[in-house]
Structures are given as C-alpha cells and as structure tokens.
Amino acid sequence: MLRIAHALNSHLLGALESAFPEAAAAAREAGTPLDPQLGPASKPEFGDFQANGALALARPLRLAPRVIAVAIVERLAADPAFEALCLPPEIAGPGFINLTLRPEVLAAEVGRRLADPRLGVEPVAPGGAPVVVDFSSPNIAKEMHVGHLRSTIIGDALARVLEFRGHPVLRLNHVGDWGTQFGMLITHLKQVAPEALDTADAVDLGDLVAFYRQAKARFDSDETFQTTSREEVVKLQSGDPTSRRCWQLLCDQSRREFQRLYDRLDIRLDERGESFYNPYLEAVVADLAAAGLLVSDSGAQCVFLEAEDGTASQTPPVIVRKSDGGFNYATTDLAAIRYRFAAPPAGDGARRVIYVTDAGQASHFAGVFQVARRAGWIPEGGRLEHVPFGLVQGEDGKKLKTRSGDTVRLKELLDEAVERCEADLRRRLAEEERQEDGDFIGEVATTVGLAAVKYADLSTNRITNYQFSFDRMLALSGNTAPYLLYAVVRIAGIARKGGADAAGVAFPTPLVFGEPQEWALVRQLLQFDAVILEVEQELLPNRLCSYLFELSQVFNRFYDQVPVLKAEDPARGSRLALCRLTADTLKQGLGLLGIPTLERM
Ligand code: ARG
C-alpha cells in the first residue's frame, strides 16, 4: 500500500501548500518543508490512514489545529484525484484527519498484486551501491556453536530481504582464520597428530576442536609449549611454506564442514576471512596515525574513545597494535570497514555494512565504528550497523547443552529436529490412515524440521535471549514453521480446488468484496510491501514472521465465516483471488526467511 500512501501524501502536501502558501514557502526555505504526518490509522475504525500534521502546525500558524484540519480537508475536497482514492475525510479529536480508501481502490490494488510477481514490493533503482551483510563467521578449528547458527539464519534472512528489494548484497563470511590459535594448534598437532598437517581429511572438525582445546590447555600451563607456539605464529605470519601449508589444510578442513551446514540450510556465503585483510593492517595503523588518533599506551597503539558529547569515554580504548607488534580482532575489523567502504577496485564501494553477531560484541563494534568514523573512512550517507542478538538458552534458561552436558553440535541439533519431525509425521499419517512413501516422508520431515529451527530463531525478537525448545518449534499450532507451512498447503489447496492456482488464471475485474472478513484480509494482504520495507530498514525479521502468522489467522477467520467454494456464488471469483494472493504472499514471505514451502504435508 506504499504506492497509495505516497499518492495520498502528495495530495495532502498539495492541500497544505495551497491552504497556507506563505507558511509552506517559509518552511521550504528553512529546509523543513511542511509535513502532513501521514501514517497508518491508529485503530481500524478510523479508516486506513491518518494525517496528524495539523497539530504540529498549530503553533507556527497560530491557529487552532482543528481550523487547520478543516482548511486541509476543504482543499482535498476540491481535488478530484484525491476524491478518486478516498472517501470524504473525517476530522477527529483535536484535529486528526482520518482517511478511508475507497473500496474499489483497495480491490484494484489486490488485482494489481495478483498479477505482480513482486507482490507490490517496489525494487530499488538499479545500479545502487552494494550492501555488505557480514554473518555466520565461525572460527577455524573452533566450535561452530549455536550463536553462529543464529547469525547464519538471521543474516541469511536479512540478505534475502535486501536482495529481493534489488540491492546488490555481499554475503560475507568473516571467518576467524588467522591469529594465535594456529600457533598452538600447529605445534600441538606436529607432536600428537602430524598426519592432520599433511593429509586432507585425516581428522574431522570435531577432532580439530578437541585438539584445539588440548592445545589451549597446554599453552596455558606449559611455558616451552608457549614459546614454540609463538615462534610458530611468527613463522606463519612471515609466510614460511610449511606453516602456510598446515594452516591451509586446517582451514580447508573446517571450511568443508561449515559448507555442509550451509548446503543443508540452503545458505550462500562468500568466504572472506580475517586473513584477507592482512595486507591492509599496516595501512590502517598509518591512516590512524596520520589522523592523529593513535596514542601509545604501555607499548600498545590505541585509539581512545569519545562519549556522545565528545568528551573522553570511560570505555577501554581500541587497541590497534599490541606491544609485541601483533594486530587484533579490532584491527582486522577496522581494515575490513576501510576496505568495504573504499571505492572499487580498491574496495567494495558499499554504502551500508551490516554485522550479525551476538550482543556480547556490541561494545567491540561501537568502538571500531567510532574509530572508523573519526578516521574518515565512512563516506557521506554510509551506514555501519551492528545487528545484535541474544543468547540461545536451553529450556532451563541456562546456556544450551546436551543432556550429557556437552556443547551441542549443530549437525546433531538439525538431525534431531528432522528426526522428531519424521516421528510426528508418521504418527499423524497413522492416525489419518494415510499411506505415503519414504521419499515423501523424508522430504516433508527435512523441510519442516529445518524450517522449524530457522523460524523459531527468526520469529523471536532477536535482541532477547531465546529458549531453544524442540517441542515448541515443532508444534503444529501457534507461531511456528509447521503451522505456517501447513497453512500454505491448505490455502493453496483451496485455491487449487477452485481452479485459481494456475499461473495465468483470470480473476474477475473488478474484484468485488462486501464482507468485513474479506476487507480485513484485503487490508492485511496489502500491508506486505510496508512490512518488507520495514525489515529492510529495521533489520528485524521477527516483524515479517508476525505479519505472516497474523495473515494466516486473518485468513482463517475469513475462511471460517465466508463461503469460498460455493458454486454459482457471484463472489466466488473474488474470494478465490484472495485465497490465491494469501498463498502467494505466505510463500514469498517464507521464502524471504529462507524457508521453502511444500505442496503437500
Ligand atoms: N568470528 C567471530 C566470532 O566467532 C565473529 C565475526 C563477526 N564479524 C566481524 N566482522 N567481526 O565471534
């Protein structure tokens, strides 16, 4: 409905300007043009939109808001293009203008959407700057944990929404493939499992993680080991061929494991790990020094942070170079920001860079964002955004663990979701006395199981901690993936029964609606474009989830109370059109969350 909202806004603006030409000219001059303050109606009984601008204008115009509202409404009444969109406006309370769209305008919008594969979502102008989504980003040879899974799922959904809007998106996997962990690991492996350093697939990622833990324990307790590990890091950094080969092998090993998970979840990522930025680290330090930002603090090179008001901040400084000359996680992130905003070919030429990590890294990002801004690396209009999320907890509210107390392996977590789904499905088929073959059962269980894991993660407000519960995410009722997938099957089935599912099927023109449940569904359907734009701006996928859940509920009320498939009913065609558009909208919406839909369940 954004298209209509834009049109209304220009009519309102025109009315304001013609009613108060002097004030309008003065406001434009001052760079703050008059604003009709058009927004969605605060209650359905007020219509579709309301314009609250009269209240803010009362003071500058020295008029009662109601008088201003009356003047605006009078001008609108003389505007035939406005009259074609809206019923006569009503003034409510102190001076709110309530606007109700004409039924035929809403119906025509539904008709337009049925023929539009983008479902009313306008694309951005082509040729725009890329948006970077930095997500997933596990660490080589370390556990890929549920936090990384959350990042992977949320980041992918955000990337899909941005791509659907037409932005070129760089899906970057900023894997932790560099740093002191490799010194320890290589030193340890040389002694206990040398084959891991020269043979591919000699160990799997699980073993590597165990080796890494042992190496870390030795590093913390054994001084000789520490020294050798440090030397190993130096060798690696100076490009020693043997060290490089070992490193490469370890990275490949982890990469293959990560890739299995991405393939399974249908997630595309371009790996650009920390090591990519090694050649740019010196330049970062040089830039910061030239900008006068570097301070030496007990041998380390730091940037001290400023509070919002420009005074010295209490938070610890960003350490750019350690006293031993080594660089940090923060230095790499600074190099990454610099590179991502830099114009091609020296960089990505991005204008928006989004980081999806747990909320625990909020102060890290706040620090590096500030340093980047003060270093002058962020171009006009450039946006850096941290998209934080809460912890994944077990049902006991503590950190998610397996029953035996170990950290949960992601593969096993997904396997369990699929297995439980299969058990549920077999039970349901037995109850319904349905016969289905193994392929069907496998496909449904896999799709629903993985969808449940994704949806459970996406549907909670990502900022809050989230309690992982198989029972809840796999429930067939409530705001869950199984419920929504089932709704799609059912609604698409209704459309199919009515012959309204095929691609080029003709719907009545104009569509005609009369019942309140029809109008409720029409209005809910037409919100889709606004919801997508909101997710694009606010980066909250749970908004899309709530919308889809609500849509399926509004549909249920409609279908319960209005006959759809009754032959010879003159309303049949228009009602089937609503079924079809509901199914399409649910499919598209779930698709943007990374969830494929099923034909049958
Ligand atoms: N590897 C990091 C971790 O596991 C996440 C990296 C996030 N991205 C970034 N540019 N810092 O916590």
Side-chain angles (χ1 to χ4, degrees):
M1 274 225 284
L2 293 172
R3 214 173 52 83
I4 297 181
H6 287 146
L8 283 181
N9 198 56
S10 29
H11 291 300
L12 282 159
L13 205 59
L16 254 177
E17 294 189 334
S18 89
F20 306 103
E22 279 154 44
R28 210 170 316 120
E29 198 114 311
T32 50
L34 296 185
D35 181 2
Q37 297 189 13
L38 182 69
S42 57
K43 284 194 189 148
E45 55 269 33
F46 295 160
D48 293 295
F49 296 97
Q50 66 187 52
N52 300 345
L55 279 80
L57 284 171
R59 195 188 275 252
L61 292 177
R62 294 165 188 276
L63 288 170
R66 249 195 119 83
V67 174
I68 300 172
V70 169
I72 297 173
V73 169
E74 271 170 12
R75 304 281 156 154
L76 287 174
D79 175 351
F82 172 82
E83 290 255 278
L85 282 178
C86 274
L87 297 173
E90 280 175 17
I91 300 172
F96 303 114
I97 301 174
N98 291 339
L99 301 170
T100 304
L101 294 172
R102 288 188 180 277
E104 61 273 25
V105 170
L106 289 167
E109 200 59 22
V110 171
R112 187 191 304 265
R113 217 162 260 207
L114 277 166
D116 174 10
R118 300 191 52 85
L119 299 177
V121 178
E122 304 265 353
V124 295
V131 179
V132 169
V133 185
D134 174 322
F135 70 107
S136 191
S137 308
N139 301 314
I140 301 288
K142 292 194 198 167
E143 195 90 56
M144 183 166 178
H145 52 69
V146 278
H148 293 122
L149 181 66
R150 264 205 111 171
S151 171
T152 308
I153 292 170
I154 296 172
D156 176 61
L158 296 177
R160 284 179 195 258
V161 169
L162 290 159
E163 283 158 354
F164 185 59
R165 277 278 283 155
H167 297 282
V169 175
L170 294 174
R171 300 163 154 258
L172 296 185
N173 200 2
H174 190 86
V175 294
D177 65 354
W178 200 249
T180 44
Q181 82 245 39
F182 289 98
M184 311 182 219
L185 192 60
I186 294 175
T187 309
H188 183 57
L189 285 176
K190 271 187 183 165
Q191 295 165 11
V192 301
E195 68 280 8
L197 296 172
D198 56 23
T199 318
D201 279 326
V203 295
D204 75 16
L205 184 64
D207 300 330
L208 268 190
V209 170
F211 283 130
Y212 173 75
R213 274 207 212 104
Q214 296 162 7
K216 175 94 176 71
R218 286 181 73 186
F219 187 86
D220 291 339
S221 63
D222 175 348
E223 258 183 51
T224 354
F225 185 83
Q226 236 179 60
T227 319
T228 331
S229 299
R230 291 232 168 81
E231 286 163 9
E232 197 58 60
V233 175
V234 176
K235 272 201 213 156
L236 180 63
Q237 287 178 343
S238 59
D240 173 88
T242 318
S243 302
R244 281 280 168 158
R245 213 171 33 243
C246 297
W247 170 71
Q248 198 66 58
L249 203 79
L250 295 173
C251 290
D252 287 344
Q253 197 72 45
S254 294
R255 196 171 286 138
R256 274 197 295 276
E257 296 266 346
F258 298 156
Q259 193 56 45
R260 268 198 276 274
L261 191 88
Y262 299 143
D263 287 345
R264 195 165 176 198
L265 294 173
D266 186 26
I267 285 170
R268 193 173 53 70
L269 269 154
D270 293 319
E271 182 178 323
R272 200 199 272 167
E274 294 182 17
S275 63
F276 174 88
Y277 300 99
N278 285 346
Y280 307 99
L281 298 173
E282 295 283 354
V284 162
V285 180
D287 262 22
L288 296 175
L293 295 173
L294 275 194
V295 176
S296 193
D297 191 47
S298 6
Q301 300 290 308
C302 307
V303 181
F304 283 87
L305 296 173
E306 292 175 344
E308 294 245 353
D309 60 3
T311 60
S313 159
Q314 296 304 309
T315 45
V318 175
I319 301 176
V320 178
R321 184 164 227 166
K322 294 181 279 187
S323 52
D324 66 4
F327 299 106
N328 269 329
Y329 182 52
T331 326
T332 305
D333 261 325
L334 288 171
I337 294 175
R338 190 169 169 274
Y339 188 91
R340 290 166 182 182
F341 281 122
D348 296 319
R351 281 293 170 280
R352 189 176 188 192
V353 181
I354 295 165
Y355 297 82
V356 188
T357 79
D358 63 289
Q361 300 199 35
S363 58
H364 160 75
F365 284 111
V368 297
F369 291 174
Q370 180 186 132
V371 174
R373 186 163 35 74
R374 286 161 66 200
W377 296 331
I378 308 178
E380 177 86 26
R383 284 160 84 178
L384 274 170
E385 289 162 280
H386 180 215
V387 170
F389 53 79
L391 298 175
V392 182
Q393 300 170 321
E395 285 181 86
D396 54 2
K398 299 204 191 97
K399 202 173 155 202
L400 189 66
K401 287 262 160 66
T402 61
R403 245 177 240 119
S404 57
D406 295 328
T407 39
V408 178
R409 287 220 181 163
L410 299 185
K411 180 182 174 303
E412 280 154 24
L413 184 145
L414 299 182
D415 287 346
E416 182 166 353
V418 172
E419 277 157 24
R420 286 183 182 233
C421 252
E422 182 173 333
D424 287 351
L425 176 61
R426 286 188 187 276
R427 213 169 304 131
R428 191 157 53 81
L429 291 177
E431 271 166 26
E432 293 172 9
E433 297 182 14
R434 253 168 78 189
Q435 291 291 335
E436 297 286 357
D437 62 16
D439 285 352
F440 173 85
I441 293 176
E443 192 204 339
V444 172
T446 306
T447 306
V448 178
L450 300 180
V453 173
K454 286 189 180 184
Y455 192 83
D457 202 328
L458 294 166
S459 58
T460 51
N461 184 325
R462 61 173 164 71
I463 315 290
T464 51
N465 291 345
Y466 133 68
Q467 285 198 357
F468 191 95
S469 158
F470 281 119
D471 288 336
R472 215 172 317 139
M473 71 175 69
L474 293 173
L476 258 178
S477 59
N479 189 9
T480 65
Y483 170 79
L484 281 172
L485 288 173
Y486 195 69
V488 173
V489 170
R490 194 171 66 98
I491 299 167
I494 298 167
R496 189 178 323 122
K497 239 187 240 158
D501 63 325
V505 55
F507 292 104
T509 39
L511 297 165
V512 179
F513 305 110
E515 302 298 323
Q517 292 83 5
E518 292 172 336
W519 287 117
L521 182 54
V522 166
R523 288 192 158 91
Q524 178 72 13
L525 284 166
L526 295 182
Q527 294 302 323
F528 184 65
D529 55 341
V531 172
I532 296 302
L533 263 72
E534 191 188 327
V535 177
E536 177 193 9
Q537 287 314 315
E538 313 287 327
L539 307 176
L540 289 169
N542 64 304
R543 285 286 303 115
L544 178 54
C545 297
S546 315
Y547 168 78
L548 296 174
F549 181 54
E550 221 168 285
L551 174 60
S552 65
Q553 289 183 309
V554 175
F555 179 87
N556 287 346
R557 285 194 283 276
F558 155 83
Y559 193 68
D560 272 356
Q561 290 169 35
V562 176
V564 171
L565 291 168
K566 206 162 86 192
E568 325 262 309
D569 190 328
R572 188 173 189 265
S574 293
R575 289 176 184 162
L576 280 169
L578 291 182
C579 296
R580 165 69 180 276
L581 187 57
T582 305
D584 287 355
T585 305
L586 288 174
K587 280 185 203 164
Q588 179 65 263
L590 287 168
L592 292 176
L593 297 170
I595 295 176
T597 53
L598 290 159
E599 293 285 312
R600 299 194 304 129
M601 261 173 94

